[in-house]
Amino acid sequence: MIGLGTSLGKALSPDSYFLPSLPLTPTTISTFSLSSLSFSSNNLTGKRNSRNSVLRRQSAGFESEPELTSDSMESDKELPEFNRNLYPNIEPYSSGFLKVSDIHTIYWEQSGNPDGHPVVFLHGGPGGGTSPSNRRFFDPEFYRIILFDQRGAGLSTPHACLVENTTWDLISDIEKLREHLEIPEWQVFGGSWGSTLALAYSQSHPDKVTGIVLRGIFLLRKKEIDWFYEGGAATIYPDAWEPFRDLIPENERGCFLDAYKKRLNSDDQEIQYAAARAWTMWEMMTAHLLPNNENIKRGEDDKFSLAFARIENHYFVNKGFFPSDGFLLDNIDKIRHIKTMIVQGRYDMCCPMMSAWDLHKAWPEADLKVSCSRCWAFC
């Protein structure tokens, strides 16, 4: 599942989004925006945050709205206002490539304030790669913004490579990058597959995490995979589903993951590309509440589609390389103390709300926000 350049809203154009702002609560001070969760200034001096950490709400023109909690989520009332703007476009002040294994080299970049609070952005897919718009989630005056392309994705090499490409390899890469950039600890921000990786990384290295922002929750459980790839979401998007389905002969439709794996790893490159386009187009067509032609075109890009589809399929066939279906939920105690915000779109097709709700029940200490019917959390 991929975050396509927005964290919480429906992109209408490259510069226009429906973004619900978060409420001002007794635990927040100053101003706070959806895309710029940070913590008390203690974090900037190297002190560990605690369950009682104070959220710093950064000024970005976001107005307060009623809080959507577990007690109020069933209300049909629409939120009064939405801010449609992310932070301005910025360019990296440094970038490079880091060799993380004998095979893989990952692209990384830094933007924003070199002396600011470090935050690492974990992109979706897996295989989706980063884009310049990802920098716009964060206040560039406050944050030291780190983006990187995971193994085989984006500018990382070798392209679309599945060898030595597992969740645990990516967690190791995140640590290598943190050490390379000489960052003692950082905030973690991830959506969709990025939320999966954010949870797995934070559970592996809780002492390196100052806070977590998760949106469009994806826990990589069988019921989530079955919903999207075995016909569940097809009940909402039958028109987008049929081309994905029809690439596969009827006698192989018992498991679409396996059928696509066979084609995405074919010795015939044209078969690979055809499968990659169909796989990617299915997700691009369902990742938005309203059609987004800019992102739909990505499904027609053979290079992007091949990495996106092959790597996603590789991870999903292998169940995220987790030892059990509920692994991330079973290990919440390791990160229960870390200040966390969960943001979920109720009508997210790729990452259905059941996952955010299950995470909320396992982790009530985390702050859950659910967007109203006019909003959309991308997966």
Side-chain angles (χ1 to χ4, degrees):
M1 307 298 169
I2 186 172
L4 296 176
T6 63
S7 69
L8 306 167
K10 168 68 190 77
L12 301 180
S13 71
D15 297 308
S16 177
Y17 300 83
F18 283 126
L19 290 175
S21 63
L22 297 186
L24 189 62
T25 70
T27 57
T28 62
I29 59 174
S30 183
T31 54
F32 169 81
S33 78
L34 284 173
S35 55
S36 43
L37 177 65
S38 67
F39 299 86
S40 66
S41 58
N42 284 345
N43 288 334
L44 299 180
T45 58
K47 298 179 181 178
R48 294 296 303 147
N49 64 308
S50 68
R51 190 174 299 176
N52 297 320
S53 293
V54 178
L55 292 176
R56 178 182 180 275
R57 196 176 176 192
Q58 296 176 39
S59 178
F62 288 83
E63 298 178 357
S64 298
E65 295 174 352
E67 184 169 5
L68 288 174
T69 65
S70 57
D71 295 327
S72 64
M73 284 190 302
E74 296 307 317
S75 172
D76 291 330
K77 295 180 180 179
E78 293 183 335
L79 299 181
E81 294 293 337
F82 294 84
N83 185 289
R84 302 186 182 206
N85 299 311
L86 296 179
Y87 287 97
N89 287 307
I90 55 175
E91 294 298 321
Y93 64 78
S94 71
S95 63
F97 290 88
L98 178 64
K99 191 168 181 60
V100 291
S101 77
D102 291 340
I103 296 174
H104 291 275
T105 299
I106 61 171
Y107 168 79
W108 61 267
E109 65 174 52
Q110 297 187 93
S111 57
N113 182 354
D115 298 317
H117 185 69
V119 57
V120 60
F121 174 87
L122 304 180
H123 69 67
T130 58
S131 66
S133 62
N134 299 148
R135 306 166 195 149
R136 300 183 65 197
F137 297 150
F138 310 99
D139 181 344
E141 295 183 2
F142 180 81
Y143 279 109
R144 177 183 175 184
I145 306 160
I146 296 97
L147 274 58
F148 76 97
D149 290 332
Q150 296 159 27
R151 294 190 181 200
L155 298 178
S156 294
T157 59
H159 184 71
C161 178
L162 306 183
V163 179
E164 294 181 9
N165 197 337
T166 73
T167 303
W168 310 109
D169 291 316
L170 301 187
I171 290 172
S172 175
D173 294 350
I174 297 171
E175 272 298 277
K176 288 175 182 175
L177 180 60
R178 184 188 62 78
E179 293 171 355
H180 176 72
L181 298 177
E182 299 181 341
I183 297 173
E185 54 186 7
W186 50 12
Q187 180 180 316
V188 179
F189 181 109
S192 189
W193 158 255
S195 74
T196 317
L197 185 57
L199 287 167
Y201 169 76
S202 299
Q203 290 173 3
S204 297
H205 300 280
D207 59 320
K208 306 304 181 186
V209 179
T210 60
I212 308 171
V213 181
L214 305 171
R215 53 87 188 165
I217 305 305
F218 180 48
L219 302 175
L220 223 161
R221 296 170 296 173
K222 184 178 186 299
K223 65 180 182 179
E224 296 166 81
I225 298 297
D226 287 349
W227 159 258
F228 195 69
Y229 290 107
E230 301 298 339
T235 61
I236 312 298
Y237 285 95
D239 50 341
W241 170 256
E242 288 186 3
F244 175 85
R245 179 199 65 191
D246 292 348
L247 185 78
I248 306 302
E250 288 189 14
N251 64 349
E252 293 185 57
R253 293 179 187 173
C255 180
F256 283 96
L257 285 187
D258 288 342
Y260 269 90
K261 176 185 177 181
K262 175 181 174 182
R263 288 157 179 80
L264 291 168
N265 292 280
S266 170
D267 292 333
D268 186 330
Q269 190 172 62
E270 288 307 312
I271 291 176
Q272 285 188 33
Y273 283 143
R277 288 191 295 268
W279 177 285
T280 304
M281 190 65 74
W282 162 237
E283 187 156 338
M284 299 303 163
M285 291 289 289
T286 54
H288 300 267
L289 185 59
L290 299 175
N292 184 298
N293 292 329
E294 181 179 344
N295 284 309
I296 289 172
K297 287 179 181 178
R298 301 180 83 183
E300 301 169 356
D301 181 333
D302 285 344
K303 182 177 181 181
F304 171 81
S305 292
L306 188 63
F308 180 66
R310 288 192 79 210
I311 297 173
E312 270 203 343
N313 178 270
H314 171 65
Y315 274 72
F316 299 165
V317 165
N318 287 286
K319 303 175 182 178
F321 302 93
F322 295 128
S324 64
D325 195 52
F327 179 80
L328 294 175
L329 293 178
D330 293 341
N331 284 276
I332 288 299
D333 281 346
K334 295 179 180 179
I335 55 174
R336 194 175 298 278
H337 64 286
I338 299 175
K339 190 67 181 179
T340 298
M341 179 163 287
I342 302 166
V343 186
Q344 178 68 37
R346 182 175 292 281
Y347 305 113
D348 190 328
M349 290 295 107
C350 299
C351 303
M353 187 180 152
M354 63 179 176
S355 300
W357 188 246
D358 289 344
L359 182 59
H360 166 67
K361 290 191 294 182
W363 196 4
E365 296 85 355
D367 192 4
L368 171 66
K369 309 293 178 184
V370 178
S371 61
C372 74
S373 60
R374 290 187 296 172
C375 306
W376 192 252
F378 286 78
C379 64

